[in-house]
Amino acid sequence: MSPAITITKDDILEEVKLSCKIPEIIEAITIRKLIAAAAAEAGIQVETEELQDAADQFRILSQLGSAEDTWAWLEKHGMTLEEFEAMVYNGAISGKLAKHLFADKVEAYFFENQLDYAGVVMYEVIIDDQDLAMELFYGIQEGEMSFYDVAHQYIQDKELRRSGGYQGVVSREQIKPEISAAVFAAKPPEVLKPIVTSKGVHLILVEEIIEAQLDDKLRYKILLNLFSEWIKQEVEQFEVTKNLDLDYQAA
């Protein structure tokens, strides 16, 4: 029989301290209290039906298809049913507060920052030698070789080589700043003049620029970004005090 190990609340607290998790936990508590206070001030509440919908959505996302699965999840995470409901409530109230504060600001923000949400279909080959990269670029320009030829010869990764250096649909935020300006100024299909970065010399074929569309997915992303920035600014205004017994209070 395997030896038994007993884990107490004190053990858990000690592990939190030893793993240096105290600062992020304090920040999470501060954010939770901040959201609760702001929601109360705005008169925002989560109705019973909304809470049930949020709980059902959580179970779906967590693949908790049965009551047994849910109870097992609760046991694994050391939660009571009441604590589970509190967790779901916190998520629901956070979402309602975000919509209350920023739902009517998403569209204006999108149009002010539309270029940041554009995408590009691109292919890329990274060369170590700048002179060689320039030689290959001019060879492509003059029709002596294709971008695919260059990719097939100079890309080491087998799968990437087979796809000709295809990077997929890439958003502006996923591209290095020193590359993005040239990429989004291209007139597809266009092979860009080699660009030097810390990774090497980039030969890039811009196949298509995809204009951003404010669909539900992007609307939600912008809403979360605006809400996260608001939380960050609000948290900076709080003074968090503590004592040696780890009894923290946010003032």
Side-chain angles (χ1 to χ4, degrees):
M1 179 181 294
S2 300
I5 297 177
T6 301
I7 298 176
T8 66
K9 291 182 179 180
D10 288 340
D11 292 329
I12 294 173
L13 179 56
E14 182 180 14
E15 180 59 30
V16 168
K17 293 165 63 178
L18 295 178
S19 59
C20 303
K21 298 293 185 181
I22 290 292
E24 61 190 77
I25 290 175
I26 294 305
E27 181 179 7
I29 294 171
T30 303
I31 290 172
R32 176 165 54 83
K33 293 193 174 194
L34 164 66
I35 290 173
E41 183 178 348
I44 298 172
Q45 296 181 341
V46 177
E47 303 299 332
T48 301
E49 184 176 345
E50 294 174 316
L51 187 61
Q52 184 61 55
D53 289 343
D56 290 343
Q57 186 63 27
F58 179 87
R59 292 189 186 95
I60 292 171
L61 293 175
S62 302
Q63 298 181 329
L64 305 177
S66 66
E68 290 77 11
D69 292 336
T70 301
W71 285 113
W73 187 93
L74 290 174
E75 183 177 359
K76 176 181 177 181
H77 292 87
M79 277 191 188
T80 64
L81 184 59
E82 290 74 19
E83 289 166 338
F84 173 76
E85 290 176 350
M87 179 192 70
V88 173
Y89 180 90
N90 289 336
I93 202 73
S94 178
K96 292 193 73 171
L97 179 62
K99 290 179 181 178
H100 171 77
L101 293 174
F102 298 109
D104 60 349
K105 298 177 175 61
V106 169
E107 191 166 327
Y109 184 89
F110 168 73
F111 286 112
E112 290 174 7
N113 301 273
Q114 193 166 356
L115 290 178
D116 292 339
Y117 297 101
V120 60
V121 179
M122 58 180 275
Y123 297 74
E124 181 180 57
V125 180
I126 300 178
I127 308 292
D128 293 332
D129 188 303
Q130 187 172 3
D131 291 336
L132 174 59
M134 290 300 300
E135 180 182 334
L136 295 171
F137 169 72
Y138 287 119
I140 295 172
Q141 294 293 96
E142 295 169 8
E144 297 174 357
M145 63 187 72
S146 68
F147 190 93
Y148 177 82
D149 294 332
V150 173
H152 190 72
Q153 183 173 352
Y154 290 96
I155 293 179
Q156 299 300 316
D157 181 86
K158 183 188 300 183
E159 295 302 320
L160 192 57
R161 182 171 66 245
R162 287 173 176 170
S163 65
Y166 180 61
Q167 302 296 307
V169 178
V170 186
S171 66
R172 181 184 287 266
E173 64 184 15
Q174 293 175 298
I175 304 176
K176 286 179 175 289
E178 57 265 46
I179 293 177
S180 65
V183 166
F184 285 95
K187 296 180 179 179
E190 180 181 354
V191 176
L192 304 181
K193 190 173 182 178
I195 301 171
V196 180
T197 74
S198 58
K199 291 184 65 176
V201 188
H202 301 249
L203 267 176
I204 296 172
L205 167 60
V206 179
E207 183 176 87
E208 180 184 0
I209 301 291
I210 302 174
E211 299 296 333
Q213 300 293 326
L214 188 57
D215 55 16
D216 290 343
K217 182 178 180 180
L218 181 53
R219 186 179 295 274
Y220 181 68
K221 178 180 179 180
I222 293 174
L223 181 70
L224 288 186
N225 288 343
L226 291 172
F227 188 52
S228 295
E229 187 59 33
W230 174 81
I231 288 175
K232 180 180 177 182
Q233 293 173 0
E234 292 294 311
V235 166
E236 289 174 353
Q237 299 178 28
F238 276 67
E239 180 182 352
V240 178
T241 59
K242 62 182 180 179
N243 60 36
L244 296 179
D245 294 325
L246 292 177
D247 183 14
Y248 292 80
Q249 294 182 332

